[in-house]
Amino acid sequence: MTVRDPQTGPETLVRIPTVLTARLALRAPKPADFDAFADFRAGTRAYFVGGPYTRAQAFGQFCGLVGHWHLRGFGRWIIADRQSDAALGTVGPFFPEGWLEPEIAWTVFDGHEGKGIAFEAAEAARVFAYDTLGWTTAVSLVARENTRSNALAQRLGATREGVFQHAEIGTLDVWRHPSPAQLRATGVA
């Protein structure tokens, strides 16, 4: 058997960094996370992300979490509780084919809403996008009916600047995040 150096060719292994916050670990997906992911994707709240989806469809989307890192060099993490390592949602820089521009995306799995998890995770993901990836701007695309995510975008300091019509998901509000310079000027970054 021949083994190639993973840094030298198209066979490069995906290296997904872990980002730690006070309560959370933003980390690579693990097989043990799939049930929580699939349950969310099958539920009524998945309507806001084009669902609900079958378990088989959810598996393809779960694999896409890792594939996005491989193809774009960034992607969404599993939001995990630092104490238990339980999967609580997904968050991260996201730019699928046909998207308006790169965004900071988040979902929180059922039973974990209303605890500040999405805010803590999305703020850390935005810092990663700005400080590590060098982004100078970011958006979040949110279904108008998704009142929690719209409120979170506002809490993150984003302003609504228009709409994006997605062929499968429908009309999404475009929320523009403050730039790194704007965050520094306000003392947030």
Side-chain angles (χ1 to χ4, degrees), residues 10 71 116:
L71 295 174

Side-chain angles (χ1 to χ4, degrees), residues 81-93:
D81 180 273
R82 282 186 67 173
Q83 297 296 319
S84 68
D85 199 40
L88 310 175
T90 64
V91 70

Side-chain angles (χ1 to χ4, degrees), residues 41-179:
R41 301 301 270 193
T44 57
R45 289 179 47 242
Y47 166 79
F48 299 127
V49 292
Y53 297 98
T54 67
R55 190 169 172 86
Q57 290 170 317
F59 185 74
Q61 295 162 351
F62 187 72
C63 292
L65 294 175
V66 175
H68 197 283
W69 280 96
H70 183 74
L71 295 174
R72 297 275 196 218
F74 58 85
R76 292 173 294 159
W77 293 277
I78 290 292
I79 304 168
D81 180 273
R82 282 186 67 173
Q83 297 296 319
S84 68
D85 199 40
L88 310 175
T90 64
V91 70
F94 185 53
F95 190 35
E97 179 61 31
W99 223 233
L100 176 68
E101 62 183 271
E103 78 158 323
I104 305 298
W106 59 79
T107 58
V108 175
F109 299 157
D110 295 333
H112 302 291
E113 312 93 328
K115 300 175 184 177
I117 290 167
F119 177 78
E120 187 174 331
E123 191 172 50
R126 183 172 66 191
V127 167
F128 180 86
Y130 287 169
D131 292 354
T132 302
L133 301 177
W135 290 10
T136 58
T137 188
V139 297
S140 290
L141 304 176
V142 180
R144 174 115 351 132
E145 305 83 22
N146 190 341
T147 55
R148 284 182 182 243
S149 282
N150 281 295
L152 175 57
Q154 284 184 298
R155 185 173 175 209
L156 287 163
T159 55
R160 194 176 317 187
E161 72 172 22
V163 297
F164 173 64
Q165 189 64 40
H166 189 273
E168 295 170 13
I169 299 173
T171 303
L172 302 170
D173 286 332
V174 178
W175 288 89
R176 175 75 52 195
H177 289 266
S179 69

